[in-house]
């Protein structure tokens, strides 16, 4: 697949910027590129492969003659414009949650389930960031030894709430250090020197939307539609990588050594597990990397009959958690 | 019980300072007070009830004639000096981990198991901070409906690593904001804008010492010696309250409403559970409070047969996590 005309919607956002970085890093070739956005970002100049590129206004007539459109904006924008882009004949990639749970839309973390790309019908979705990072570590384990249940508690970075949240985290930290009241215009609470339950809406069952995405999308990507998953999503004052404490129970007894071997051989995983140096996955080391860091692998004595494994994982929210899945899918489909 | 001569060992530390605050807040009467410490803190002047009090050197001969000695120092100091203080006839309270698992030593969170104080033999221990905060929320639930298993992931503040770690967290944040390399003289890694697996030693099973304390001490305080507990302890860049994401499975089906009522009536618990405002327990609101904040109560769909409950809790690491247990025990024993 050669990409002639490429369009990126939402290029000025955190995911859009990371997508542009990855296209350049991985030398993805295309004939022309158009950056589209709405309101505040229109007119902004961004660098694409050393060339300046001005963000133009997103309107319904911008998709004619395009080969590939990547949506890196909100689910609302995707709901409105993805059908128009498909209608215009473009192959569409969507990072938002708008179409992720539709059966005919592949939901891809390419090293995990890239084979599902073969069945696409013009639209391919990338998963929620926490789910993408989680399945990268769980998939190789589950393939070898089926999971019975999983409990996940997240330590999610500000980047998941967008670039303005990242800027506000810094401004908050500076304010707190200066003894001033921290600004909370983007984030619902002070995040600097604090943690809070993920800000997405809580439904009538008490679950927040982020937790629902982790459960539903993890099940879908692992092809384990009834896997019991318990999850609590929490924001922490970190810039851009998400960390997750994971407690797994498998259907049969497992050995830590075997699990470690499986993970060491798994694509997209980097083992960081040095107890003597107290060196385990940390978001400052996962940031700006493509691999998910995995460590603190240990038997979980709280699980029954030797069937438990606990681990700590950390992955870049904008790369493995978002844009990298699009770029890897493009690479797979090109071959 | 009237306290004649009171001695505090380790008064200059984070727990010691909080103990002095609490003694004053709660008008604990005593005849005289002596503050003891080692090396760097000797000669430091602290305010006790408006009076200046100079920290004197901790030596084995300082306990003669004392009524009550509170140890707020390291386990090594307690192992060396607690036996000497007991020998001298003092009633001894120990915040360290040195004697917590000895069967004849009450391990108390007074609102939970204050009755065990009746059996003391001159030495009373206060639990690990994460365990103390956890049992405050679990005990009222477990008493009404026995737990089958618990999974806990912690979001632990810098204060648990001592006052110097708190100062280093601020210095690190300032350095990062200024684009400089953050100092890591006290903490093993950068904590500002990062999270890391708890720095305590990891044993041959892969568990770290903090996790072992949470498991063993929670079981002991709940009088549930075989309760399966899965735990991951993580440091987050927060100053002084610990947050914990807790997933419980009970032996029988539970209703969220009943659990909420039990917690609302429980001593030492403050419900913070407002989904509409996305307002749940946060460490900046738990800091400097005696109550453990409890919220995000919800059924856990990952647990079997309606037997799961998930919750988020946050408690002051230095109050409920440490010094408050001593002060409440003193109050109970006075009556």
């Amino acid at each position: 697949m050669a990409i002639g005309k490429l369009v990126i919607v939402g290029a000025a956002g955190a995911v859009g910027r990371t997508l542009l970085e990855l296209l350049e890093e991985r030398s993805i070739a295309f004939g022309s590129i158009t950056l589209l956005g709405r309101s505040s970002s229109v007119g902004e100049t961004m660098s694409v492969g050393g060339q300046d590129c001005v963000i133009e206004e997103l309107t319904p007539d911008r998709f004619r003659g395009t080969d590939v459109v990547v949506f890196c904006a909100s689910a609302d924008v995707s709901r409105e414009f993805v059908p128009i882009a498909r209608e215009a004949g473009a192959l569409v990639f969507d990072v938002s949650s708008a179409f992720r749970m539709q059966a005919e839309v592949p939901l891809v973390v390419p090293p995990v389930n890239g084979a599902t790309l073969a069945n696409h019908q013009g639209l391919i979705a990338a998963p929620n960031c926490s789910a993408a990072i989680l399945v990268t570590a769980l998939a190789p384990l589950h393939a070898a030894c089926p999971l019975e249940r999983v409990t996940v508690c997240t330590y999610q970075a500000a980047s998941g709430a967008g670039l303005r949240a990242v800027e506000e985290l810094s401004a908050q930290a500076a304010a707190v250090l200066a003894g001033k009241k921290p600004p909370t215009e983007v984030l619902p609470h002070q995040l600097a020197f604090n943690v809070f339950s993920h800000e997405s809406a809580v439904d009538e069952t008490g679950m927040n939307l982020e937790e629902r995405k982790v459960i539903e999308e993890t099940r879908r990507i692992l092809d384990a539609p009834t896997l019991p998953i318990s999850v609590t999503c929490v924001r922490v004052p970190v810039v851009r990588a998400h960390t997750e404490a994971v407690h797994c129970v498998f259907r049969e007894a497992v050995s830590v050594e075997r699990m470690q071997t499986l993970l060491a051989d798994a694509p997209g995983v980097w083992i960081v597990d040095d107890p003597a140096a107290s060196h385990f996955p940390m978001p400052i080391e996962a940031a700006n990397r493509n691999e998910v860091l995995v460590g603190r692998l240990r038997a979980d004595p709280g699980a029954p009959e030797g069937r438990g494994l606990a681990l700590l994982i950390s992955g870049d929210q904008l790369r493995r958690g978002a844009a990298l899945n699009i770029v890897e899918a493009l690479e797979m489909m090109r071959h």
Side-chain angles (χ1 to χ4, degrees), chain A:
Chain A
M1 187 187 73
I3 309 174
K5 193 174 166 201
L6 171 65
V7 169
I8 298 176
V9 178
V15 175
R17 285 168 196 268
T18 305
L19 179 67
L20 292 179
E21 278 171 30
L22 280 163
L23 290 174
E24 192 167 340
E25 272 175 40
R26 297 169 80 110
S27 306
I28 305 288
F30 45 82
S32 72
I33 188 165
T34 304
L35 308 184
L36 301 178
R38 298 183 104 177
S39 57
S40 62
S41 69
V42 174
E44 192 176 330
T45 300
M46 302 196 67
S47 171
V48 181
Q51 305 282 317
D52 281 354
C53 193
V54 177
I55 297 178
E56 300 169 54
E57 181 149 17
L58 170 63
T59 53
D61 59 350
R62 299 306 308 261
F63 303 108
R64 260 170 286 162
T66 58
D67 295 295
V68 171
V69 182
V70 184
F71 283 84
C72 304
S74 70
D76 282 344
V77 167
S78 289
R79 272 187 285 268
E80 185 177 348
F81 289 95
V82 163
I84 300 169
R86 293 179 74 183
E87 191 80 11
L91 172 63
V92 176
F93 293 85
D94 185 19
V95 175
S96 88
S97 63
F99 302 98
R100 286 178 190 154
M101 294 308 292
Q102 294 195 2
E104 73 280 9
V105 177
L107 180 66
V108 294
V109 175
V112 170
N113 67 342
T116 62
L117 287 168
N119 306 318
H120 81 86
Q121 295 173 29
L123 175 58
I124 290 151
N128 167 273
C129 45
S130 298
I133 291 162
L134 179 61
V135 297
T136 302
L138 289 186
L141 306 179
H142 180 61
C145 190
L147 285 159
E148 183 172 292
R149 62 173 192 264
V150 179
T151 304
V152 187
C153 296
T154 69
Y155 302 72
Q156 294 185 230
S159 60
L163 275 183
R164 289 179 61 226
V166 169
E167 289 159 6
E168 188 167 271
L169 170 59
S170 286
Q172 287 184 347
V176 171
L177 289 174
K180 293 181 185 155
K181 189 170 152 45
T184 53
E185 283 161 29
V186 181
L187 295 160
H189 305 286
Q190 177 186 327
L191 182 58
F193 304 104
N194 193 27
V195 306
F196 55 76
S197 180
H198 191 280
E199 69 281 358
S200 56
V202 172
D203 68 19
E204 68 289 351
T205 71
M207 189 183 288
N208 67 40
L209 184 58
E210 183 79 356
E211 291 160 358
R212 185 167 298 284
K213 289 174 184 174
V214 170
I215 294 171
E216 292 180 349
E217 298 179 23
T218 299
R219 285 175 174 166
R220 187 158 184 232
I221 297 165
L222 294 181
D223 195 17
T226 61
L227 179 66
I229 303 178
S230 301
V231 55
T232 298
C233 288
V234 174
R235 281 264 183 238
V236 296
V238 163
V239 175
R240 72 171 272 175
H242 289 355
T243 304
E244 305 180 26
V246 187
H247 291 258
C248 303
V249 178
F250 295 88
R251 288 197 209 138
E252 297 183 0
V254 294
S255 89
V256 174
E257 292 68 27
R258 179 161 177 239
M259 297 284 124
Q260 185 141 25
T261 303
L262 290 166
L263 285 164
D265 292 342
V269 168
W270 186 262
I271 304 285
V272 180
D273 207 350
D274 183 352
S278 196
H279 187 205
F280 302 110
M282 298 193 291
I284 50 166
E285 293 186 346
N288 298 300
R289 284 189 68 148
N290 291 337
E291 297 88 357
V292 172
L293 309 187
V294 176
R296 282 231 57 213
L297 254 72
R298 61 203 192 274
D300 182 351
E305 303 146 17
R307 295 190 286 122
L309 182 80
L311 57 162
L312 192 65
I313 67 179
S314 193
D316 187 292
Q317 185 265 325
L318 298 170
R319 290 185 169 236
R320 175 54 67 211
L324 180 62
N325 300 307
I326 303 298
V327 172
E328 287 176 337
L330 276 169
E331 289 173 332
M332 276 191 177
M333 294 171 80
R334 215 169 35 174
H335 293 297

